[in-house]
Amino acid sequence: MKILSRNFGISMNAMITSLLIFFSGWLAGGLVNWLADWLPVESRLGGLICSSCRKEISWLDYWTLFPCKHCGRTRGLRTWLLHFGLGIAFLGVHWTGSPRLSEVEAMLWLTYSSLIVVIDFEHRLILEKTSIAGGILAFVIGVRLHGIGMTLAGGTAGAALLFLLFLGGEVFRRWMEKRRGEPISEVAMGFGDVILSGIIGLILGWPGILAGLFLAILAGGIVSGLIMFSMIIRKNYQAFTAIPYGPYLIFATLYLLFLS
Ligand SMILES: [Zn+2]
């Protein structure tokens, strides 16, 4: 009887902890939603707003994912994905642990990663403000994992290697322009990707960044290959299509930090 009640006590505790962890993921999801609604559009922060009509939503509606009272729209896929996604991801970290990061580090990094992916998908942008915050976070975690030397080496290598790729893309773009005789406005890779590569270099360290870049470029190549293939089938093939590298860099880093 005593053992039973003790077991029950432990599992009650575990359940409450799990609920709290899920709730903090839920809050982090709301935070990312809020930042993604404001930062790329106005580069300042305001109140809690509806992502579609940008009118203010009450605090309660915002956190309970109620439809917007002004435009009547449901709160959008991104909102739901972030709230539940981060809630579940936080729980996953808590239950299975992450091989390299502490629980708090993992949660902060997951939150930062979601923000970068959402803004890059929606606006094709990697913002200065998020890069500064990410850089500080990656540096602090990197120094604990690899020491200061290897952290800085990783960051430098990450930025330098992607910068070379960026230059390569520019040379290719100019060559294509000459061949076609018309300007190509799409840029293969933004400078934000170079900065982001430096940031993931800090957290992955040297030589971890090499694996990170390899994975990101491989995944980017495979996905854009598939997209090109579907374009060829649908006969609207364009030889020059930009790959947004940001999400690939982020996913490669998450894979290396959490799953490998
Ligand atoms: Zn609305």
Side-chain angles (χ1 to χ4, degrees), residues 10-227:
I10 287 166
S11 66
M12 257 318 259
N13 260 344
M15 231 167 75
I16 290 166
T17 312
S18 295
L19 267 174
L20 284 176
I21 299 264
F22 181 81
F23 183 65
S24 38
W26 186 273
L27 290 181
L31 175 72
V32 173
N33 264 310
W34 177 62
L35 293 172
D37 280 337
W38 283 100
L39 285 182
V41 186
E42 311 200 23
S43 80
R44 70 185 175 92
L45 291 170
L48 303 173
I49 54 166
C50 161
S51 310
S52 346
C53 70
R54 302 194 62 80
K55 282 186 183 147
E56 202 135 331
I57 303 188
S58 79
W59 206 82
L60 190 69
D61 285 355
Y62 191 83
W63 292 106
T64 49
L65 306 188
F66 252 68
C68 167
K69 288 208 170 71
H70 304 285
C71 66
R73 294 241 186 112
T74 50
R75 291 286 302 289
L77 184 63
R78 181 244 271 173
T79 305
W80 288 81
L81 277 179
L82 280 171
H83 279 279
F84 281 97
L86 280 177
I88 291 165
F90 278 25
L91 266 187
V93 165
H94 177 66
W95 282 337
T96 60
S98 76
R100 289 177 182 79
L101 305 186
S102 76
E103 225 168 278
V104 174
E105 286 170 348
M107 288 168 183
L108 288 173
W109 190 255
L110 282 167
T111 308
Y112 162 74
S113 297
S114 335
L115 182 62
I116 298 302
V117 169
V118 167
I119 294 179
D120 204 357
F121 265 128
E122 292 181 354
H123 303 274
R124 288 281 179 94
L125 272 178
I126 294 171
L127 303 170
E128 235 168 70
K129 280 173 190 162
T130 58
S131 292
I132 293 169
I136 294 169
L137 180 63
F139 179 76
V140 170
I141 299 175
V143 168
R144 187 187 66 73
L145 288 176
H146 325 286
I148 197 158
M150 290 297 123
T151 300
L152 291 176
T156 312
L161 287 171
L162 223 73
F163 185 65
L164 286 178
L165 227 91
F166 173 74
L167 284 184
E170 275 299 297
V171 169
F172 180 70
R173 189 174 70 94
R174 294 211 179 137
W175 177 72
M176 286 289 289
E177 272 181 350
K178 246 187 203 159
R179 238 187 61 161
R180 285 199 197 165
E182 53 180 299
I184 297 168
S185 56
E186 282 222 78
V187 183
M189 187 189 290
F191 203 71
D193 291 320
V194 174
I195 304 290
L196 181 62
S197 180
I199 293 172
I200 69 162
L202 293 173
I203 199 169
L204 293 175
W206 177 266
I209 181 61
L210 293 180
L213 286 181
F214 175 76
L215 272 178
I217 291 167
L218 186 74
I222 290 173
V223 173
S224 54
L226 288 175
I227 291 171

